[in-house]
């Protein structure tokens, strides 16, 4: 049975166990959230051994080259030694502002203590002082001085309730990342863009939309935002104004009861999406269903960028 070494600790990795499971079982304190290879919160570095490519999915090439990997989806077949990630993959920051965007969404702005490179629409792990980590997508543009996150408040949600009720301007946090490929890549400026998301799935789409405009994207851009109730359609006025100044942008706010499920609205309004580039974010069921439907309608998977907001395990 292979052993994983982490500091003074040596943990056997049993059967189907992941490296993360083995470390947690042995009493190590490793931050983690989704435990499914999606959120990036548990990323570590392998200093002895070679991470399987499958455990490095979604990590940027420079991190892969340094042995960064996701222990929650790593099943080694030989002994390995791992350490925490270095300063190049995380930055300390302070909460710069907290504003309610709706009755259930808080905009968190973070001032980083060092430059932090990212693409709007990627996600980071927000790590609280006690080590609690959750992923949030970046709504800000790189040129803006602060990182912007939109946090949906969940009843009994450990991170989101803290953000809503107890976090204060000036509180220190750590930001790990960025991860994910849900971002605008300049080029093909005439390609239609299809952006769809529910709830705070708007955060990365808002980043992608503004980034595309900043790069002079000239093709039609359609933004579909779904919510259960009208209050959930936050940033509505701002997005409407943005359409007024950019006639090639269409904003389609949809409500489940009045308009039907978001995926149906998208497919009705975009019956021939082949050739477009799509960004899908938020509810995992919606993201996975729409991704498959768009593929079946002729879109290539390389043109579909998706981030499912999987809850922490
Ligand atoms: C790649 C990625 C990007 C993300 N981006 C964002 C973002 O930009 N904005 C944002 O608000 N969230 C985002 N999330 C979700 C976020 O990471 C947390 O899962 C969420 O904020 C809940 O954390 P919590 O600690 O408040 O709740 P927890 O303490 O983790 O959960 C509390 C309870 O709520 C349930 N729960 C958790 N999440 C959900 C959910 N989505 N729907 C229904 N029930 C749930 C849990 O099962 C549990 O019972 C993202 C997730 C991923 C993987």
């Amino acid at each position: 049975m292979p052993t994983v070494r982490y500091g003074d600790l040596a943990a056997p990795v049993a059967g189907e166990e992941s490296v993360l499971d083995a470390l947690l079982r042995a009493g190590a304190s490793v931050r983690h959230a989704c435990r499914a290879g999606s959120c990036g919160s548990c990323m570590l570095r392998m200093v002895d051994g070679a991470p399987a490519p499958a455990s490095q999915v979604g990590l940027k090439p420079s991190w892969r080259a340094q042995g960064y990997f996701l222990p929650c989806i790593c099943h080694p077949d030989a002994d390995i030694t791992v350490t925490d990630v270095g300063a190049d993959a995380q930055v300390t920051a302070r909460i710069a502002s907290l504003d309610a965007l709706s009755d259930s969404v808080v905009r968190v702005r973070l001032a980083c203590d060092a430059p932090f490179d990212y693409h709007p629409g990627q996600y980071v792990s927000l790590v609280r002082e006690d080590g609690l980590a959750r992923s949030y997508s970046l709504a800000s543009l790189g040129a803006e001085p602060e990182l912007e996150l939109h946090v949906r408040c969940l009843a009994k949600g450990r991170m989101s309730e803290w953000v809503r009720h107890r976090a204060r301007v000036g509180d220190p946090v750590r930001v790990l990342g960025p991860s994910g490929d849900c971002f605008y890549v300049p080029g093909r400026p005439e390609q239609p863009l299809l952006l769809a998301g529910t709830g705070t799935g708007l955060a990365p789409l808002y980043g992608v939309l503004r980034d595309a405009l900043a790069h002079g994207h000239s093709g039609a851009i359609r933004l579909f935002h779904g919510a259960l109730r009208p209050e959930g359609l936050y940033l509505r006025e701002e997005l409407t104004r943005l359409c007024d100044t950019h006639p090639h942008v269409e904003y389609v706010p949809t409500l489940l009861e009045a308009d039907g499920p978001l995926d149906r609205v998208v497919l009705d309004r975009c019956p021939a999406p082949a050739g477009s580039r799509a960004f899908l974010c938020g509810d995992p069921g919606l993201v996975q269903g729409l991704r498959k439907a768009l593929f079946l309608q002729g879109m290539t998977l390389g043109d579909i960028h998706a981030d499912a907001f999987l809850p922490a395990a």
Side-chain angles (χ1 to χ4, degrees):
M1 190 185 303
T3 296
V4 50
R5 292 181 194 285
Y6 176 59
D8 296 337
L9 194 141
V13 188
E16 293 299 294
E17 235 182 8
S18 69
V19 169
L20 178 66
D21 292 335
L23 288 172
L24 294 175
R25 187 172 45 75
S29 161
V30 181
R31 63 179 181 273
H32 59 278
C34 77
R35 298 177 89 151
S38 289
C39 75
S41 299
C42 64
M43 187 166 74
L44 292 174
R45 184 175 180 197
M46 203 177 284
V47 287
D48 190 10
S55 67
Q56 297 184 304
V57 161
L59 303 186
K60 55 184 185 183
S62 60
W63 289 356
R64 290 203 296 266
Q66 291 179 72
Y68 288 163
F69 74 108
L70 301 175
C72 66
I73 49 168
C74 178
H75 303 272
D77 46 22
D79 292 354
I80 57 172
T81 304
V82 304
T83 64
D84 286 321
V85 297
D88 57 332
Q90 57 183 324
V91 66
T92 54
R94 287 190 182 271
I95 295 181
S97 65
L98 294 158
D99 315 292
L101 290 175
S102 73
D103 60 354
S104 63
V105 177
V106 175
R107 172 162 54 203
V108 183
R109 289 205 167 103
L110 301 173
C112 296
D113 295 334
F116 185 77
D117 280 340
Y118 66 95
H119 296 287
Q122 286 191 292
Y123 59 89
V124 294
S125 280
L126 176 68
V127 188
R128 219 167 56 177
E129 263 201 312
D130 64 357
L132 180 74
R134 294 286 184 266
S135 303
Y136 295 101
S137 305
L138 292 159
S140 43
L141 300 183
E144 291 169 344
E146 287 151 0
L147 306 184
E148 175 175 331
L149 317 177
H150 300 168
V151 178
R152 177 160 80 103
C153 306
L154 291 173
K156 301 208 171 79
R158 289 171 67 198
M159 182 66 91
S160 58
E161 283 224 319
W162 174 75
V163 164
R164 185 179 198 177
H165 297 297
R166 297 191 302 284
R168 295 286 172 265
V169 169
D171 281 354
V173 291
R174 265 184 306 139
V175 176
L176 191 83
S179 304
D181 72 347
C182 201
F183 59 84
Y184 179 79
V185 177
R188 298 186 290 168
E190 279 145 33
Q191 189 179 28
L193 300 186
L194 191 169
L195 282 51
T198 48
T200 43
L202 181 62
L205 302 180
Y206 182 65
V208 168
L209 168 62
R210 293 187 308 135
D211 199 29
L213 293 176
H215 280 96
H217 194 89
S218 55
I221 306 179
R222 278 177 165 176
L223 168 63
F224 295 86
H225 185 208
L228 292 175
R229 292 174 290 121
E231 311 82 81
L233 295 170
Y234 68 94
L235 289 182
R236 195 171 180 160
E237 279 177 20
E238 187 167 339
L239 289 166
T240 305
R241 272 201 307 275
L242 200 139
C243 293
D244 292 342
T245 49
H246 298 84
H248 63 305
V249 179
E250 186 186 1
Y251 163 54
V252 187
T254 71
L255 292 173
L256 182 63
E257 234 174 62
D259 308 302
L262 184 66
D263 49 352
R264 196 164 334 128
V265 177
V266 171
L267 295 169
D268 283 351
R269 301 277 290 251
C270 306
S276 307
R277 210 183 315 178
F279 298 86
L280 314 174
C281 302
D283 176 71
L286 178 271
V287 166
Q288 279 145 19
L290 197 48
R291 185 170 187 264
K292 187 171 170 193
L294 292 173
F295 174 67
L296 293 175
Q297 298 278 53
M299 284 191 67
T300 57
L301 284 179
D303 269 333
I304 306 178
H305 306 275
D307 269 339
F309 289 5
L310 289 176

